[in-house]
Amino acid sequence: MKRRVLLKLSGEALAGEKHTGFDEPTVTKVAKQVKTLVDQGIEVGIVIGGGNFWRGRSSENIDRTKADQIGMLATVMNCIYVSEIFRSQGMMTAVLTPFPCGEFTKGFSKDRANKYFQHNMVVFFAGGTGHPYFSTDTATVLRAIEIEADEILLAKAVDGVYDSDPKTNPDAKKFDEISIQEVIEKDLKVVDMTASILCKENKRLAGNGRIGVCGMVAGKCRQRTKSINVTQDVQPVKQIFSIFVPPLFNAHYLPELPEHGTFQQD
């Protein structure tokens, strides 16, 4: 049976050192790493944030709904661009959105996504959930549940779960293992609160899948790295989150895909 992975990329990561727009060498490097998954027969879905173009929550002059709508359009631009870079590396792609975008994208449905996966296409889920007040973290978990993904990988610029932001607090404590309930209670920002609760409440994801916050995607999805497991508190054997050491887009950090939805540390 084929494995299905949903990868979440931050928009800022696509910009490289420019911090805005696209850095094509960076995106090409991502594409080459994702292709190693596709070449193994792994089905890959992708959600991309819009932060390289727009962070509406920082503006006090724009209505929140409108700001979020601009952010959704930013994710559409990102997915269209990245999908074309993926095509240049020999992959077939499709971009799905929860709202009409003319001929630029196709409308999202589980059946359509499954059809594309069956044709070995990388499927981009653009436009978030299609509604304001929901982040791309939440969209990632929602799409993972809908398409029955085995694995969610979040490419983040952190090396684990801390009790506070290690960038601003040098004394931040890093957890070796923590339950998803504690993540929620302590508001630890692995993903946003809505996404965390969605992970906990969805029994399929908690029981059979996991989320890995990783340095990058995975070259061959085999080599392990030092990790932290965020477990489902009533089923501690089943991991929901596994946090992998960065830096982003480094092919040497390759999270393993477990055979039965569990992950054991070396």
Side-chain angles (χ1 to χ4, degrees), residues 5 24 35 37 54 120 157 192 244 251-252 256 261 266:
V5 172
E24 190 161 315
K35 191 174 188 300
L37 301 184
W54 181 255
N120 299 317
D192 68 32
F244 294 89
H252 295 294
E256 178 183 356
D266 289 329

Side-chain angles (χ1 to χ4, degrees), residues 2 4 43 111 113-121:
K2 285 190 174 182
R4 182 172 294 178
E43 297 172 344
D111 288 343
N114 283 336
K115 181 181 72 173
Y116 291 152
F117 283 131
Q118 289 169 6
H119 288 85
N120 299 317
M121 300 174 75

Side-chain angles (χ1 to χ4, degrees), residues 68-156:
D68 284 357
Q69 289 171 344
I70 296 170
M72 292 177 213
L73 293 175
T75 71
V76 175
M77 290 192 296
N78 281 343
C79 285
I80 292 173
Y81 175 86
V82 176
S83 73
E84 287 302 304
I85 299 299
F86 275 37
R87 290 186 181 203
S88 75
Q89 298 302 310
M91 289 173 278
M92 296 183 294
T93 65
V95 180
L96 303 182
T97 51
F99 46 78
C101 290
E103 297 299 317
F104 299 153
T105 67
K106 296 291 187 180
F108 168 78
S109 73
K110 178 178 179 179
D111 288 343
R112 178 171 277 160
N114 283 336
K115 181 181 72 173
Y116 291 152
F117 283 131
Q118 289 169 6
H119 288 85
N120 299 317
M121 300 174 75
V122 176
V123 182
F124 289 82
F125 301 104
T129 66
H131 299 282
Y133 297 94
F134 293 98
S135 70
T136 48
D137 280 349
T138 301
T140 298
V141 177
L142 177 62
R143 294 292 181 244
I145 294 168
E146 289 179 301
I147 67 172
E148 301 181 66
D150 298 295
E151 178 104 2
I152 300 176
L153 299 176
L154 304 177
K156 297 273 190 178

